[in-house]
Amino acid sequence: MAIIIHGGADENVDQTDPVAPNHVDAKLAALREIIRDAWAALYSGKPALDVVERTVVALEDNPAFNAGYGAAIGAEGVELDAGIMDGRTGKFGAVTGITVVKNPIIAAREILETPYNLYQGIGANALAQEVARRRGLKCISARALETAYQRAKWERWKRRRNENPVKSSDGTVGVVAFDGTAIAAGTSTGGMTGKPKGRVGDTPLLGAGTFASADAGASATGEGEKIMQLGLTRYAVESLQRHRLSPQEAAESAIAALGAIGGRGGIIIVDNTARVGACTNAPLMTCAFMTAWMSASKVEAKEAVKGRSTADQE
Ligand code: ASP
């Protein structure tokens, strides 16, 4: 058994920024709690797919992360994307442009159980509402997902968009788990601050932001357009399979390939021998993991620039 979680690749790591100080400490504290619950669920025998779904829900509910409540605000408001894949069956479910619920991963999981892969816009929102009602969850407005932190980032984006129209990556959340039999991967995001209405990133695209096979699974974060150009998660999983790489080697080679096309981001990977890997070329990526080989979970802030990570073991 093994599970790894990321809280997104961060472009702005300035913790003294007066407008929107990076809240890496809040992310690490939240990851510490969430990995504990996720591992307990996996250890109690829950299937990887269920553990991935419920762990992504916990990340979406936490305002420290750019997903669900606390999502990055696009040019015309919050629009959420999420995707989930079952490595055992190859089934995939995803939604884009969600504005009416805080947990798009639940709708994505529902789609995974159908013959379809991806719902968008009005249809996706109608389905998300129906699933939320059935599960006793509240339907909300996109405004209800905005936090003061993301609002401050959006206000600054608005002030500066003419002088600096560069896309700023805001993170994403992702989970990959191996339950001893099957692997599953899930990813959820608000995308990027100021993203144009209707823009879809890599997160809900099979093989870009989310991928799982019988051998390994992966979830990505960072510059969506470059991640899709490479098909980052599929690239990583297939290179692990083809070249018999460890998850860490596969993560490093995938991020090197992303860097080679000018992309920045991060990736987490789990394989079917319960090994994990994580790598980023963004200034920072938060992650947490636990495997059957370890005596306690690890929570890390991986810093690409210095090529090291600050780990803290429970
Ligand atoms: N990959 C996400 C997107 O492009 C954003 C991120 O992870 O920072 O929508």
Side-chain angles (χ1 to χ4, degrees), residues 9 169-172 189 191-192 199 201-203 221-225 227:
S169 170
D170 265 294
T172 279
T189 192
M192 293 166 171
R199 176 263 184 191
D202 57 296
T203 299
T221 170
E223 213 181 315
E225 284 68 17
I227 293 172

Side-chain angles (χ1 to χ4, degrees), residues 148-161:
Y149 171 74
Q150 290 292 357
R151 194 86 210 155
K153 284 182 96 167
W154 185 85
E155 300 283 359
R156 176 162 58 192
W157 163 81
K158 206 162 168 230
R159 276 196 311 275
R160 293 189 182 166
R161 72 184 147 165

Side-chain angles (χ1 to χ4, degrees), residues 161-187:
R161 72 184 147 165
N162 294 331
E163 57 198 74
N164 180 16
V166 177
K167 290 176 287 185
S168 123
S169 170
D170 265 294
T172 279
V173 302
V175 180
V176 191
F178 171 57
D179 58 19
T181 310
I183 292 172
T187 315

